[in-house]
Amino acid sequence: MVAALRMQQNQMMTPNPYKTALAQFDRAVKYLDYDDSIIEFMRYPRREFTVNFPVRRDDGRVEMFTGYRVHHSTILGPSKGGIRYDLHVNMDEVRALAMWMSWKCSLVGLPYGGAKGGVIVDPTKLSQRELENLTRRYASELIPLISPHADIPAPDMGTNPQMMAWFMDTYSMTVGYSVPAIVTGKPISVGGSEGRTVSTGRGVVINMVEALKRSGVNDFSQIRVVVQGFGNVGSNAAAYAHELGFKVVAVSDVYGGIYNPNGLDIPSLLEHQTINRRVQGFAGSDVVTNEELLLLPCDVLLPCAMEGQLTERNATQVQARLVVEGANGPTDPEADDIFHDRGIQVVPDILANSGGVIVSYFEWIQDLQSFFWDEAEVFRQLDRILVRGYDLTMRTAEEYRVDMRTAAQIAAIKRVADALKTRGFYP
Ligand code: GLU
């Protein structure tokens, strides 16, 4: 399919996450007293880049692909954010994800602005060599925009450490020397960090534990957890939750879900998934659809798939008492209101899934210093920063008497707005 047609179809199919991001922003800034010019400035992405580029397929044909990179903010430092390979990618999605990265980095105190990139492609339909061609060409198209001091990409949906290695190699070959700090989420052998692969999922569980402990729950053995999505975030969240003694009763991937009210053996499920490339078919589990999965009886729901999953259509039927957002933007503003009315606590994405970018930050520091940490040090620092972010969110929620999402947004926006005010508008 030609790139232009793919682009058009995408725009028609998907709900608009940028509308959600802007609605959340508007809700938060109502509580803040900044000049209109400051608020208006933060509503806009700083730069938006679209690239159309050729990729040689294994059969010799050359096919055109479309990719994006958006820098939402560079106020607090270089922009930071992942690259997504998915057929649903479109400019508004990338804009939303870039804006969320700005707030995420700000909330947990990282010296970064926010960015995001994406290519409209189904990576499962390309061979390794085609993926390498696509990644290298996309990376070379981004060269005018990226540098270890300007914009640092990372993995997201559909991308992985190997692709980050190709990305790093392409940049390094272009400038003539090795620059590991150009991208994070790399394999350890080329300057990646211990703990990066598991960090987003681990961070989701740390947030879940924090929320439960603060509501007086210390025995996790009877806490039933449902995980939507079994990619990097969902599978590592399920594994860590299982390790801590939680009962993970259901998980799903793009093909559908599985359920066992007595708990799934996650280590065996991970083996099953490696062999079968899907979770369904796992011994002793019932089949459920992705939609049914969200509504199963449970205590905690971890949406770790993608945006727009919890809406006014299903939020009234969710049975969990706690939602911890592993994905970016899984809950839209109408669903947020329903959860609030029903007393369901939502730990918002910009806090809940910030473990990934926090360890990306550690990776970047290690690359710049050429001094590498052990896993225990990574996890200790990750824990510290996440709990600090959680504390800040709760303090803000109390101060403004708002829910956790609005509080997280307020705290994050304030930090950017204060820096912007202090820096002033150029010229
Ligand atoms: N893609 C991840 C996110 O959405 C990680 C970004 C990064 O590490 O820069 O937070």
Side-chain angles (χ1 to χ4, degrees), residues 69-202:
R69 183 80 182 163
V70 171
H71 296 174
H72 171 260
S73 170
T74 55
I75 295 297
L76 295 175
S79 56
K80 185 87 191 78
I83 291 169
R84 176 171 290 199
Y85 288 176
D86 193 88
L87 274 181
H88 295 102
V89 163
N90 60 68
M91 181 55 103
D92 269 355
E93 182 188 49
V94 180
R95 281 186 183 123
L97 292 163
M99 191 179 208
W100 284 323
M101 284 309 301
S102 296
W103 310 143
K104 192 184 303 185
C105 294
S106 173
L107 177 68
V108 292
L110 308 183
Y112 288 141
K116 204 78 170 197
V119 177
I120 306 173
V121 58
D122 178 353
T124 64
K125 297 280 177 339
L126 266 59
S127 69
Q128 278 297 101
R129 194 208 303 202
E130 291 169 336
L131 283 172
E132 178 170 353
N133 291 347
L134 179 134
T135 303
R136 286 186 179 279
R137 180 62 193 244
Y138 174 63
S140 82
E141 295 292 336
L142 294 191
I143 290 210
L145 284 194
I146 58 173
S147 102
H149 303 291
D151 179 29
I152 306 122
D156 196 76
M157 242 170 81
T159 55
N160 61 32
Q162 175 60 68
M163 295 170 191
M164 299 304 113
W166 292 326
F167 207 97
M168 174 269 194
D169 185 67
T170 303
Y171 185 86
S172 300
M173 296 313 287
T174 308
V175 297
Y177 50 92
S178 288
V179 189
I182 185 59
V183 65
T184 59
K186 302 178 295 296
I188 306 260
S189 59
V190 296
S193 176
E194 294 290 345
R196 175 63 185 85
T197 310
V198 301
S199 57
T200 316
R202 189 180 176 96

Side-chain angles (χ1 to χ4, degrees), residues 58 73 124 254 301 416:
D58 289 344
S73 170
T124 64
V254 280
L301 175 61
V416 176

Side-chain angles (χ1 to χ4, degrees), residues 380-391:
R380 191 178 68 80
Q381 296 280 2
L382 171 62
D383 220 88
R384 181 181 66 83
I385 294 184
L386 280 174
V387 174
R388 188 181 68 186
Y390 202 103
D391 280 336

Side-chain angles (χ1 to χ4, degrees), residues 197-198 200-202 204-205 225-242 248 250-252 266 269-270 273 279 302-305 326-327:
T197 310
V198 301
T200 316
R202 189 180 176 96
V204 171
V205 173
V225 180
V226 166
V227 186
Q228 187 200 32
F230 211 63
N232 174 267
V233 183
S235 66
N236 283 299
Y240 192 42
H242 185 266
V248 180
V251 304
S252 67
I266 302 299
L269 175 60
L270 286 164
Q273 196 232 13
V279 294
L302 308 180
C304 298

